[in-house]
């Protein structure tokens, strides 16, 4: 009779309210939810900033490469400012720096010079790719860890629900359901953070590989040109 009166006095919610689920959850579950929400916000910040940065770098590199092949004096295109801003310029700069060092003394060992120039440019290409992909590690971490963190919150919430069953000596849905709903909400937030992180990581990793391949092809062409210049030394 008492349970019936309590059920009549408290109207059942008609839909899920995320704010209520968060406020009514255990402190541990709340901490898990807050951590996952912050991780999700950071993931979206990385997605937006990386997309803008990659688009800007790709455009700048294409413009630089076009100007590079049209400019007879390549030295004028390799300034300190351009090295700071354009990865393709830094790759060319690494090759030219090594070319100057290798041809500073006579006689010139052409085969060794070609190998050193190629190694310098390949190293710079790899460094540019590593720098671009550095923040993607966070996406991979969130994508793999967030579901388990959410699952931890769910397990803790379900354990708390069983504790309430023992404390109130009742296994009715009115006692168990709220705690289970709050616990499952933690897993939902974990998936909300992990799914876009995994998708973005896979997509951006492919774009970084494509960008690295473009830089490497450009470096190979520049290396071929410098090799021809070595034959004239």
């Amino acid at each position: 009779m008492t349970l019936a009166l309590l059920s009549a006095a408290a109207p059942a919610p008609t839909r899920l309210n995320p704010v209520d689920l968060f406020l009514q959850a255990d402190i541990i579950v709340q901490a898990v939810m807050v951590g996952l929400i912050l991780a999700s916000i950071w993931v979206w910040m990385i997605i937006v900033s990386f997309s803008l940065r990659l688009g800007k770098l790709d455009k700048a590199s294409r413009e630089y490469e076009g100007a590079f092949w049209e400019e007879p004096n390549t030295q004028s295109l390799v300034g300190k400012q351009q090295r700071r801003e354009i990865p393709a310029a830094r790759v060319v700069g690494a090759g030219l720096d090594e070319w100057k060092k290798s041809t500073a003394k006579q006689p010139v060992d052409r085969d060794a010079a070609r190998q050193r120039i190629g190694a310098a440019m390949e190293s710079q290409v790899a460094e540019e790719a590593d720098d671009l992909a550095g923040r993607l590690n966070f996406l991979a971490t969130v994508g793999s860890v967030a579901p388990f963190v959410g699952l931890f919150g769910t397990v803790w919430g379900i354990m708390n629900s069983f504790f309430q069953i023992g404390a109130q000596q009742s296994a009715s849905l009115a006692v168990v359901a709220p705690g289970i709903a709050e616990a499952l909400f933690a897993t939902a937030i974990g998936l909300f953070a992990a799914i876009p992180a995994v998708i973005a990581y896979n997509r951006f990793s492919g774009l970084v590989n494509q960008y690295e391949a473009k830089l490497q092809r450009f470096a190979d062409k520049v290396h071929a040109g410098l090799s021809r210049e070595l034959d004239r030394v």
Side-chain angles (χ1 to χ4, degrees), residues 94-111:
L96 289 177
D97 289 344
E98 185 57 44
W99 187 84
K100 292 176 183 178
K101 295 176 183 177
S102 298
T103 58
K105 294 182 180 181
Q106 298 293 333
V108 177
D109 187 345
R110 293 180 176 83
D111 291 335

Side-chain angles (χ1 to χ4, degrees), residues 6-228:
L6 289 175
S7 300
T14 58
R15 61 185 179 85
L16 289 176
N17 189 327
V19 176
D20 289 341
L21 289 175
F22 174 79
L23 294 177
Q24 295 170 8
D26 183 80
I27 185 64
I28 300 297
V29 181
Q30 286 182 344
V32 169
M33 291 180 182
V34 169
L36 291 172
I37 291 172
L38 292 177
S40 179
I41 293 173
W42 189 248
V43 162
W44 282 105
M45 289 177 63
I46 291 177
I47 291 174
V48 173
S49 63
F50 187 88
S51 299
L52 295 175
R53 182 187 179 193
L54 185 59
K56 180 180 178 180
L57 290 178
D58 187 57
K59 180 181 178 181
S61 292
R62 281 189 282 106
E63 292 176 352
Y64 176 85
E65 291 175 22
F68 180 85
W69 298 119
E70 295 176 359
E71 177 62 44
N73 182 14
T74 58
Q75 294 289 346
S76 63
L77 289 175
V78 189
K80 292 183 178 180
Q81 183 65 23
Q82 288 177 317
R83 287 197 191 190
R84 286 199 298 267
E85 296 177 352
I86 305 176
R90 290 192 288 266
V91 171
V92 174
L96 289 177
D97 289 344
E98 185 57 44
W99 187 84
K100 292 176 183 178
K101 295 176 183 177
S102 298
T103 58
K105 294 182 180 181
Q106 298 293 333
V108 177
D109 187 345
R110 293 180 176 83
D111 291 335
R114 289 187 178 94
Q115 292 179 3
R116 288 193 294 266
I117 292 171
M121 298 181 73
E122 288 179 4
S123 177
Q124 188 63 40
V125 169
E127 185 176 336
E128 297 296 334
D130 290 342
D131 178 68
L132 188 59
R135 298 180 68 183
L136 297 185
N137 292 331
F138 183 79
L139 297 181
T141 301
V142 172
S144 59
V145 173
F148 294 101
V149 175
L151 183 60
F152 167 76
T154 297
V155 171
W156 185 274
I158 292 176
M159 289 170 58
N160 189 53
S161 296
F162 280 113
F163 176 78
Q164 295 298 327
I165 291 175
Q168 300 185 25
Q169 297 181 353
S170 174
S172 66
L173 286 177
V175 176
V176 179
I180 294 178
E182 297 154 11
L184 292 175
F185 186 50
T187 296
I189 296 177
L191 294 175
F192 179 78
I195 291 173
V198 171
I199 295 174
Y201 177 78
N202 292 333
R203 174 59 177 165
F204 289 156
S205 294
L207 292 176
V208 169
N209 291 336
Q210 292 177 10
Y211 187 73
E212 183 180 8
K214 290 179 182 178
L215 277 181
Q216 188 60 56
R217 287 193 295 269
F218 176 63
D220 291 341
K221 293 178 182 179
V222 175
H223 182 261
L226 293 176
S227 296
R228 287 192 295 270

